[in-house]
Amino acid sequence: MSNNKILIVDDEPKNLKILRIRLKDVYEIEEAATGEEALEKIETFEPALVLLDIMMPGIDGYEVTKRIKTNPKTQNCKVVLLSGKALLEEKLEGYKAGAEDYITKPFNGEELLAKIKVFIKLFNLEDRLERMNEDLEEEIKARTELLLKNERMAYVGMQAGEIVHNLKNPLSIIFGYLGHLKKKHPEITEIEKLEKASNKLLDIIKSIMTSLNRDIQNEMVDLSMNQIVEDELRFLESIDKQYKSWIKTDLNFQSQGMFKGSSTHISQIVGNLIKNSVEAMKPCEKRILSISTYDAMNRVFVEVADTGPGIPKEEIEKVFEPLFTTKTGEDGGVVGTGLGLSYCKKMVEAYGGEIKLESELGVGTKISFYLPLSKDQA
Ligand SMILES: Nc1ncnc2c1ncn2[C@@H]1O[C@H](COP(=O)(O)OP(=O)(O)OP(=O)(O)O)[C@@H](O)[C@H]1O
Ligand SMILES: [Mg+2]
């Protein structure tokens, strides 16, 4: 539903009447005779447009405009100033106060209607855009939650892979002893049953390993590290525009077609590092997030550096451990999962790369990692 409401403000009842007669058939009209009254009514009436006389007793039109434009509740409302003044300086003062336009009295009725139409349309378009933005923010929130969930699932998957892999060791010992026992005591027929059951267990382990590996391998595609970094930064900016001013990039990855991976994995690695740096820098005065990519020695390198508070020496060892977090909420409860960096390390290593962290208290933290480029094409 579009907003069709206009507040007309003039201390001359005659002028209010003329405007009301002209507009009432098309628009919903409310009137105010002073600046004070206008400011009260605008909050309850919530018009799309205010037609505002400049010269009024009490607060004048310029001041009313300023207050409308500095109040977050009313600042989207369009303001058209109406006045007998026609001097350029006075018009400029109106624009400076934040008014959208200026009409000199006596006005031409057609021109006034045409302008009103434009500003009502503009208000409604902006309003729609704002609502779309809000929807987008909701969607981003949902996506963030999903990413976090996927990250946890991926972590659980990796842990499961490791556990299953580790089951093979004790199983091979069982096989060894069973073979030995069978030779020594061929009369014990139960040994064969034990062997069969153990073989079944081995089949289960192998099939779980194959499906876990297939999940990773099936997703391997050609990736551009610059693109991944840019996408993650765009995602960051969409959460809050202020981050844009923190970011410094130097993206030199050039081995297009030579870097293969799953975009989910690599985006999560880069995204986790960016998220950590941004969170670390929040309380700092100087906030620079520097990200660089380059390739050398058949590897792609990525560095994420921040000017955050740095990490105490005794914690540097622990940050890659699963569940290590220092992030607490206002009530002292833990808000971080402590899975971000352990995920990054496991993933980077699963790709055959390495990750390292350098940090200095009061200076900042730099995390760099590399991943191998594909050998066949490199
Ligand atoms: N750039 C950084 N600057 C300062 N401290 C950091 C930085 N990156 C990580 N840390 C420290 O390492 C800890 C572990 O990081 P990790 O990403 O694993 O988990 P988290 O960020 O605490 O939680 P989550 O990633 O789930 O939000 C953090 O709690 C923080 O203390
Ligand atoms: Mg983190």
Side-chain angles (χ1 to χ4, degrees):
M1 267 294 281
S2 59
N3 182 338
N4 232 9
K5 295 193 243 178
I6 302 178
L7 175 66
I8 46 182
V9 190
D10 204 310
D11 58 321
E12 266 294 328
K14 190 176 81 230
N15 291 345
L16 281 179
K17 196 173 164 198
I18 298 172
L19 284 167
R20 187 176 57 240
I21 291 170
R22 273 219 161 260
L23 303 173
K24 73 176 178 12
D25 292 339
V26 187
Y27 300 101
E28 194 182 330
I29 303 296
E30 182 64 79
E31 297 170 13
T34 62
E36 287 85 349
E37 196 190 346
L39 289 169
E40 267 171 37
K41 285 201 168 155
I42 191 174
E43 289 216 24
T44 48
F45 182 55
E46 298 181 344
L49 173 70
V50 183
L51 289 178
L52 184 60
D53 184 30
I54 293 181
M55 300 300 284
M56 291 183 292
I59 44 179
D60 65 11
Y62 298 130
E63 184 56 31
V64 175
T65 307
K66 272 187 211 149
R67 294 200 198 171
I68 291 174
K69 293 296 179 182
T70 48
N71 179 350
K73 275 201 216 151
T74 57
Q75 65 188 3
N76 293 343
C77 179
K78 304 293 156 208
V79 177
V80 173
L81 293 170
L82 299 169
S83 173
K85 296 184 171 190
L87 293 175
L88 179 65
E89 296 86 71
E90 284 158 341
K91 284 190 177 181
L92 289 178
E93 194 174 343
Y95 290 122
K96 215 169 99 195
E100 266 70 26
D101 210 344
Y102 191 103
I103 293 186
T104 316
K105 288 196 239 180
F107 45 78
N108 172 297
E110 291 301 310
E111 187 194 359
L112 179 74
L113 282 174
K115 283 201 172 177
I116 286 176
K117 206 169 151 194
V118 169
F119 285 115
I120 294 269
K121 192 168 170 189
L122 185 64
F123 173 89
N124 284 296
L125 280 175
E126 283 178 0
D127 191 51
R128 238 179 75 202
L129 202 66
E130 198 163 297
R131 266 181 283 131
M132 276 161 72
N133 241 331
E134 281 164 15
D135 290 349
L136 202 67
E137 270 165 27
E138 291 273 303
E139 213 178 299
I140 287 169
K141 216 173 124 209
R143 203 190 110 159
T144 313
E145 274 163 20
L146 188 73
L147 275 176
L148 204 63
K149 200 170 139 213
N150 282 345
E151 179 182 296
R152 287 192 191 129
M153 291 303 290
Y155 180 74
V156 170
M158 281 201 313
Q159 293 290 77
E162 228 174 82
I163 292 167
V164 173
H165 185 79
N166 288 338
L167 284 177
K168 277 167 82 182
N169 298 335
L171 200 59
S172 66
I173 299 173
I174 292 175
F175 272 120
Y177 278 107
L178 284 177
H180 192 64
L181 277 174
K182 211 162 88 176
K183 262 194 209 149
K184 234 175 145 183
H185 301 285
E187 73 285 3
I188 310 180
T189 51
E190 279 83 1
I191 295 177
E192 206 151 314
K193 284 188 189 151
L194 282 177
E195 243 181 3
K196 265 195 186 152
S198 306
N199 265 318
K200 184 119 197 230
L201 206 55
L202 185 63
D203 285 346
I204 295 172
I205 291 171
K206 278 186 189 156
S207 80
I208 295 176
M209 295 292 293
T210 320
S211 73
L212 284 174
N213 284 341
R214 197 177 43 228
D215 277 356
I216 293 187
Q217 263 151 32
N218 274 352
E219 294 172 26
M220 299 290 256
V221 290
D222 278 337
L223 296 174
S224 155
M225 192 54 99
N226 296 349
Q227 191 60 52
I228 286 177
V229 170
E230 273 162 6
D231 286 349
E232 287 306 309
L233 290 176
R234 207 166 312 132
F235 178 57
L236 179 74
E237 283 166 31
S238 65
I239 295 169
D240 192 333
K241 286 191 197 73
Q242 63 155 326
Y243 294 137
K244 198 177 170 84
S245 62
W246 303 14
I247 300 165
K248 225 172 80 184
T249 53
D250 185 18
L251 306 179
N252 295 306
F253 168 83
Q254 273 159 0
S255 304
Q256 238 66 298
M258 280 161 53
F259 170 44
K260 294 207 186 314
S262 138
S263 72
T264 321
H265 296 153
I266 313 299
S267 305
Q268 288 208 18
I269 296 170
V270 175
N272 269 320
L273 300 182
I274 291 176
K275 180 167 158 269
N276 279 346
S277 285
V278 167
E279 282 170 354
M281 287 193 292
K282 265 184 193 155
C284 300
E285 256 176 45
K286 186 177 166 203
R287 295 155 172 164
I288 304 172
L289 171 68
S290 315
I291 305 191
S292 65
T293 63
Y294 58 95
D295 29 49
M297 301 176 296
N298 288 337
R299 291 167 175 175
V300 49
F301 289 81
V302 180
E303 284 181 5
V304 178
D306 62 57
T307 53
I311 304 173
K313 274 210 168 65
E314 63 279 12
E315 280 176 15
I316 291 187
E317 293 292 305
K318 299 186 190 150
V319 294
F320 287 109
E321 285 173 15
L323 309 179
F324 175 82
T325 181
T326 56
K327 288 172 189 166
T328 48
E330 273 162 22
D331 58 354
V334 177
V335 292
T337 64
L339 292 180
L341 284 182
S342 74
Y343 174 87
C344 293
K345 185 168 162 67
K346 288 222 170 209
M347 225 7 128
V348 166
E349 288 172 358
Y351 274 81
E354 258 184 77
I355 186 163
K356 72 170 195 227
L357 182 147
E358 295 157 75
S359 188
E360 200 178 327
L361 281 180
V363 178
T365 301
K366 179 167 98 179
I367 300 209
S368 17
F369 70 90
Y370 72 77
L371 300 172
L373 295 173
S374 99
K375 288 195 186 69
D376 2 321
Q377 287 142 312

